[in-house]
Amino acid sequence: MITVEKKDGHKVKISHVIQETTNRQLDLYIFVPGELGLNSKIISEDEFYHNAILGKRTYYSDVNHLPLVHSRLASRGKLSSEQYRLSLSLYAYQYALALEQTAHQLLEDKQDRTLAEVEEVAELAVRILKRLRRSVPSDKKLLKYYENIDNYLSWFTEQRCLSLVSHLPRGNDYTDIKALLIDICENETQHRLNNDYNSSKATQDQTRMSNKMRLLRRLIEYPVTMKEKTIELGKNTKKVVTGFAAGFVMIFVTLMLIQARGVLGDITASFILVLAFVYAAREVFKDDLKTMLWRWVRKGKPKWRKQFFDANSNRLIGRQLEWLEYVGYSKLDDEIKKVRKHKVSQREETILHYKSTTRMSTTKFLTGYEQSREAIMLDLRMVTKLMEKGSQKIYQLKDGQVSKESVEKRHLINLITRETDEDMTVRIQRWKIIMNRSRIVDIEPIT
């Protein structure tokens, strides 16, 4: 199942978990309104790929890796410090990811939440943090790492609780929910003060605190994030195509020069003019022929290949092939057309199709992990540059009086995703991305 959520600015986060199956194909169809005039000449496929699509793959598991057990093993000398750090990072990352997703789900449909729903989440969060704090390592090196992790998780839990207090609808249970969450926040604040995790200057400066926690988050994610190496495919083929096109055109140029010499005789002004025309034609047709041959040879083939390496052992654990191209509506699969529900007003849409096929070697994963999670950050800032500034004037008639209102200009981008597993199980989903020039306003899932 794919989840789509808006991030800061114009970014859309597309996340999905690759289960125990080793092969997975992912298709993203981005439908951009035709009025924006997007095409391959304005933003090429390569430019969009390198500037608007950023992927990150991490280990994922539904089973908790208890740092308590590993801490005891480390203290007895049965577990190395590197293994302990990795275990703690895995535990912290799983907790942070789960809490982030749960908070997002509670706010997603903007419905009233009962005290029991929020209480269940709050109790689970508190229980996981208590489990983490039961066993504090005695080794000074491990203790420093533990303190950094505990510091971040405490602050992160507080931030998620405060976001719920701020954004949850004011229903019947809101007062009790607010009291419950604020109590957790106060306890976590006191916990950080008691352990002297942050300086007074950092505590008083929210910008400094936020930047520090961002670095601690990177510390947590580094051991669980797979290293990536991107290789652009077709470089050697492009050289061969360029050479073939140049040689093919030169054959005709040479034949034309021989023919011109036979007709015009010695080197004269007429011969020089013919020679100039022939070489000018060569430059024009050489580029056109090269472009035509390149498109024919590379049609339907992947443009990039990614290799994934374990951040701890540097072992190759997976590969991924990627495509990105502009497609016409008529070339879409019938199942995608059916989900899009194409109408007359949408015929001018520009469609970008991103496709990836992934093969992971789960036997080379970290012990206990048989799944990976891919998060694709889709940055739509390049598209917003095509949007007009300003607002529209809307007039309304109410009680016999005419009122004028300024309404911001918004655009609707449709996103359709399709997952295809190794057993050919297909899951298709659709979202509406509502955005203006300055930000993404909302993302609506369409059932």
Side-chain angles (χ1 to χ4, degrees), residues 259-306:
Q259 187 70 20
R261 182 67 183 273
V263 173
L264 299 175
D266 295 332
I267 299 176
T268 60
S270 299
F271 179 77
I272 293 175
L273 288 174
V274 171
L275 185 65
F277 173 78
V278 169
Y279 274 95
R282 184 198 70 167
E283 293 300 317
V284 173
F285 290 110
K286 181 184 71 174
D287 292 338
D288 289 345
L289 180 62
K290 182 178 70 174
T291 302
M292 183 183 69
L293 287 174
W294 173 247
R295 289 178 178 174
W296 178 72
V297 171
R298 294 295 302 168
K299 185 177 181 181
K301 294 184 179 179
K303 295 184 178 181
W304 302 275
R305 179 173 66 234
K306 281 184 179 178

Side-chain angles (χ1 to χ4, degrees), residues 53 60 171 192 209 213 266 297 311 326 328 334 373 395 418:
I53 298 178
Y60 184 85
R192 296 195 300 276
M209 179 67 76
M213 294 304 167
D266 295 332
V297 171
Y326 287 90
D334 291 338
R373 180 177 183 270
Y395 296 88
R418 176 172 61 189

Side-chain angles (χ1 to χ4, degrees), residues 135-146:
S135 181
V136 180
S138 55
D139 190 313
K140 290 184 178 180
K141 293 182 180 179
L142 300 185
L143 178 61
K144 183 61 178 176
Y145 196 82
Y146 163 82

